[in-house]
């Protein structure tokens, strides 16, 4: 799974309508350029591709009185909304995806109803436990990794990773079940995008041809 699709769809959905530079600005505000492959070229390419696929609707906006090319504003379609939630749900239950996908999913988890978020995270924990059990069919942690030579270190790493992932997931479930955060249909959602004209303290400032479109 690619994190860029989830990130871009989520950013456009938050705005309602947004031009490409706004989406780029939001992703840099979230630090996504540091923990994912969400670079300007990838963001603008994703916007165009998903517009072609019917996930986004592209609105051409007249150029400003100061001149310059027309901007394109993007709006998520019904199909795009379905794809967004499919990606989000898949990312929450899948234990072995890349870190950027997991990070993006946690960032958007409150777009789901609280009960569904908990159910998906419990499914994630179950899958982690099943994966750990499959490793233990070949590796006994109590005997140490050396019994299998240096290859045992790989299985040792897998077990430690499973334990860490399961512990983190259970903690998140406990906090959500305890009433933390505002989920879908519970009230005013968390505002995670910049207000119009608000300066982005995390912007890279690197120009890209797509910024003006």
């Amino acid at each position: 799974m690619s994190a860029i699709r989830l990130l871009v769809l989520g950013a456009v959905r938050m705005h309602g309508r947004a031009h490409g530079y706004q989406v780029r600005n939001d992703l840099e505000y979230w630090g996504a350029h540091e923990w994912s492959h969400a670079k300007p070229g990838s963001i603008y390419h994703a916007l165009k591709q998903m517009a072609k696929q019917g996930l986004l609707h592209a609105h051409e906006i007249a150029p400003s009185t100061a001149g310059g090319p027309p901007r394109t504003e993007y709006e998520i379609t019904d199909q795009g909304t379905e794809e967004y939630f499919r990606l989000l749900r898949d990312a929450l239950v899948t234990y072995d995806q890349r870190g950027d996908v997991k990070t993006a999913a946690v960032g958007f988890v409150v777009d789901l109803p609280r009960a569904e978020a908990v159910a998906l995270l419990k499914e994630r924990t179950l899958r982690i436990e099943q994966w750990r059990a499959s490793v233990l069919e070949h590796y006994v942690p109590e005997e140490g990794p050396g019994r299998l030579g240096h290859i045992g270190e790989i299985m040792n790493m897998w077990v430690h990773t499973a334990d860490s992932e399961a512990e983190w997931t259970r903690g998140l479930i406990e906090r959500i079940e305890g009433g933390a955060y505002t989920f879908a249909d519970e009230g005013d959602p968390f505002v995670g995008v910049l207000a119009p004209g608000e300066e982005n303290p995390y912007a890279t400032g690197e120009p890209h041809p797509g910024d003006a479109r």
Side-chain angles (χ1 to χ4, degrees):
M1 184 191 300
S2 170
I4 190 70
R5 288 170 70 87
L6 179 57
L7 287 166
V8 169
L9 287 171
V12 173
R13 184 175 178 272
M14 279 188 177
H15 279 287
R17 276 176 63 156
H19 57 72
Y21 183 72
Q22 283 179 295
V23 175
R24 174 192 172 177
N25 205 34
D26 287 336
L27 268 58
E28 289 185 355
Y29 181 57
W30 300 338
H33 58 295
E34 299 285 352
W35 47 262
S36 77
H37 295 297
K39 309 302 182 185
S42 300
I43 294 167
Y44 297 132
H45 176 73
L47 286 164
K48 289 179 180 178
Q49 285 297 109
M50 289 194 286
K52 290 179 181 177
Q53 294 165 358
L55 305 179
L56 297 172
H57 181 72
H59 302 270
E60 189 170 286
I61 307 301
S64 69
T65 55
R71 280 196 182 274
T72 301
E73 286 190 344
Y74 296 91
E75 181 178 11
I76 195 166
T77 63
D78 290 344
Q79 183 182 345
T81 299
E82 290 179 8
E83 175 69 358
Y84 168 72
F85 281 107
R86 184 190 70 79
L87 291 171
L88 177 55
R89 291 175 176 118
D90 285 352
L92 287 172
V93 299
T94 305
Y95 64 85
D96 58 349
Q97 80 277 61
R98 290 178 359 187
D100 56 351
V101 176
K102 178 173 67 176
T103 302
V106 174
F108 293 129
V109 67
V110 294
D111 286 347
L112 296 167
R114 184 180 299 272
E116 182 179 7
V118 167
L120 291 169
L121 290 168
K122 286 183 176 179
E123 172 64 21
R124 176 190 184 88
T125 304
L126 176 61
R127 294 187 186 190
I128 293 171
E129 291 170 348
Q130 290 172 339
W131 173 53
R132 187 183 191 279
S134 71
V135 175
L136 296 186
E137 292 176 4
H138 310 281
Y139 171 67
V140 181
E142 292 76 15
E143 296 180 0
R147 189 174 64 85
L148 299 175
H150 75 282
I151 299 302
E153 293 293 348
I154 297 174
M155 294 186 178
N156 192 46
M157 176 183 65
W158 288 346
V159 171
H160 278 271
T161 299
D163 290 342
S164 175
E165 283 283 329
E167 180 182 4
W168 170 80
T169 306
R170 291 190 189 101
L172 178 56
I173 291 169
E174 183 178 352
R175 289 186 289 278
I176 293 173
E177 287 185 324
Y181 320 121
T182 302
F183 283 78
D185 302 325
E186 290 184 350
D188 293 334
F190 173 78
V191 179
V193 296
L194 294 163
E198 183 180 358
E199 184 178 354
N200 183 357
Y202 308 110
T204 63
E206 298 175 7
H208 187 278
D211 293 344
R213 295 199 290 269

